[in-house]
Amino acid sequence: MKAAYVEQVGPPESIVVGELPTPTPARGEVLVRVRASAVNPVDCYVRGGAVVMDNPLPFIPGCDLAGEVEAVGDGATRFKRGDRVWGSNQGLLGRQGTLAEYAAVGEEWLYPTPDGVDDKAAAAGALVGITAHLGLVREAKLQPGEKLFVNGGSGGVGTAVIQIAGAMGAKIGATAGSEEKMQRCRGIGADIVINYKTHSVRDVMERQRERIDWPGWDVWWETTREPDFDTIVACLAGRGRAVIMAGRDARPELPLGAFYVKGCSLHGFAMFNATPDEQRAAAEDLNRWLASGAYKPAIDRVVPLDQAAAAHKLQEENTLGQAGTLAGKIVVEC
């Protein structure tokens, strides 16, 4: 099979595209003909060695996939040959990834693709959608009518958070770095959007508080690598919840007095540590929203498998270098 792989951890340029043996599904696994994969920051961390995992070599990066079942291993009962499926959580914890024509995947990490949803959308919405659901439902316990703020609303996770929070009945604010990205956030459901390059989020929130009897945000979702807890705590309402899903090397200051007096809570999590049952519960809701059109994963560009190294380089430039040239997911057609 054709695959994008590395012989050892290294930079994006270490990815080569060539022939590897087509995997045979083990007990409980399904062989998927991958039609689309998507690039995530964690793919770059694992490929580059920033996140150390005992993965096989040669190693195929990639968490997300969508395609159809080619074969079913012994003991796998949830799917049959020809079923359209999507999933995530590959390329991690010893599992081979998805930048290949075929992937052998444990059936517990796969979900049926709804009719009318194409493979590119299903792959693009996989990891980011499950991440958003876990953070909003399991961690923050977002309720209808509550107010959610997404600091970084135009990226892959941010757009998923806005749409899923909207489907759950929340009022939504967000930041974005250009007028085009602000319009995109408004178009998917954000009620208030702030250009973080030209305005202080905290100042805008203080003026908002002066105009109306408004106590702050019930949930703050932070996507940046350097969280500013002075701003976060100041903008949260009493018993507000902050969800952190970035900033692996960050060591920010925490205004502890204001934090505990307001009864705030802080939630950090990594999607790949969630159990199969937790991820399946998220996927069932995502499928309902994908089918209804309430969740339309943001895709910035689609590239062929031959451009896997360039796709990783672009993702790294935006994740680590803060280039700001992506507004949604990079999807790789396999």
Side-chain angles (χ1 to χ4, degrees):
M1 70 174 181
K2 188 176 181 180
Y5 61 92
V6 296
E7 296 285 0
Q8 60 183 9
V9 296
E13 293 78 11
S14 65
I15 296 176
V16 296
V17 178
E19 292 292 322
L20 289 178
T22 300
T24 299
R27 184 172 184 80
E29 289 186 337
V30 169
L31 182 66
V32 179
R33 173 60 177 98
V34 181
R35 298 299 180 184
S37 180
V39 181
N40 296 284
V42 71
D43 303 337
C44 299
Y45 299 149
V46 174
R47 182 263 306 146
V51 173
V52 178
M53 293 187 177
D54 187 19
N55 291 321
L57 293 174
F59 172 65
I60 302 168
C63 289
D64 299 333
L65 81 163
E68 64 267 2
V69 174
E70 182 78 11
V72 178
D74 291 343
T77 60
R78 295 183 57 230
F79 301 101
K80 65 181 185 302
R81 192 174 188 276
D83 285 349
R84 296 181 65 229
V85 293
W86 66 273
S88 188
N89 229 31
Q90 304 310 299
L92 302 164
L93 303 171
R95 295 186 286 272
Q96 285 284 19
T98 60
L99 287 178
E101 291 181 317
Y102 293 93
V105 182
E107 66 172 357
E108 69 271 24
W109 304 115
L110 290 172
Y111 321 106
T113 303
D115 292 340
V117 176
D118 69 28
D119 292 328
K120 292 186 288 293
L127 183 145
V128 294
I130 293 173
T131 297
H133 191 283
L134 289 170
L136 294 174
V137 177
R138 189 189 69 179
E139 299 296 326
K141 296 179 172 58
L142 182 69
Q143 300 299 310
E146 286 194 313
K147 296 178 290 298
L148 165 86
F149 192 81
V150 187
N151 193 29
S154 64
V157 172
T159 54
V161 171
I162 289 172
Q163 293 179 77
I164 292 169
M168 295 174 66
K171 302 295 183 182
I172 303 161
T175 61
S178 70
E179 183 58 38
E180 179 184 1
K181 292 179 179 179
M182 292 171 70
Q183 289 292 354
R184 185 175 295 114
C185 290
R186 293 187 186 100
I188 59 174
D191 302 290
I192 298 171
V193 186
I194 301 167
N195 188 330
Y196 67 85
K197 292 184 177 179
T198 60
H199 292 79
S200 160
V201 174
R202 187 169 179 176
D203 288 348
V204 172
M205 292 301 101
E206 289 299 333
R207 290 196 296 274
Q208 184 84 358
R209 192 174 276 127
E210 290 172 1
R211 286 198 299 269
I212 58 176
D213 182 18
W214 183 72
W217 300 98
D218 299 297
V219 176
W220 180 289
W221 187 293
E222 182 61 53
T223 73
T224 70
R225 293 174 57 82
E226 294 292 337
D228 176 2
F229 280 106
D230 285 311
T231 294
I232 293 171
V233 174
C235 292
L236 279 173
R239 299 191 179 184
R241 293 88 76 196
V243 179
I244 309 297
M245 44 73 65
R248 187 174 293 275
D249 300 319
R251 296 290 186 273
E253 293 185 1
L254 175 65
L256 193 59
F259 181 82
Y260 78 75
V261 167
K262 292 177 77 171
C264 297
S265 60
L266 179 61
H267 303 260
F269 71 101
M271 169 266 193
F272 55 78
N273 288 329
T275 67
D277 286 344
E278 288 174 323
Q279 296 202 34
R280 187 178 302 112
E284 288 172 354
D285 280 344
L286 293 174
N287 270 348
R288 188 172 71 254
W289 295 325
L290 283 165
S292 71
Y295 179 37
K296 296 179 180 178
I299 297 174
D300 183 274
R301 67 195 67 192
V302 179
V303 301
L305 184 60
D306 288 338
Q307 294 182 22
H312 265 237
K313 183 177 182 181
L314 179 60
Q315 183 66 64
E316 208 163 81
E317 289 171 350
N318 279 265
T319 303
L320 301 178
Q322 301 294 299
T325 56
L326 284 177
K329 304 298 296 179
I330 307 169
V331 172
V332 179
E333 288 189 306
C334 301

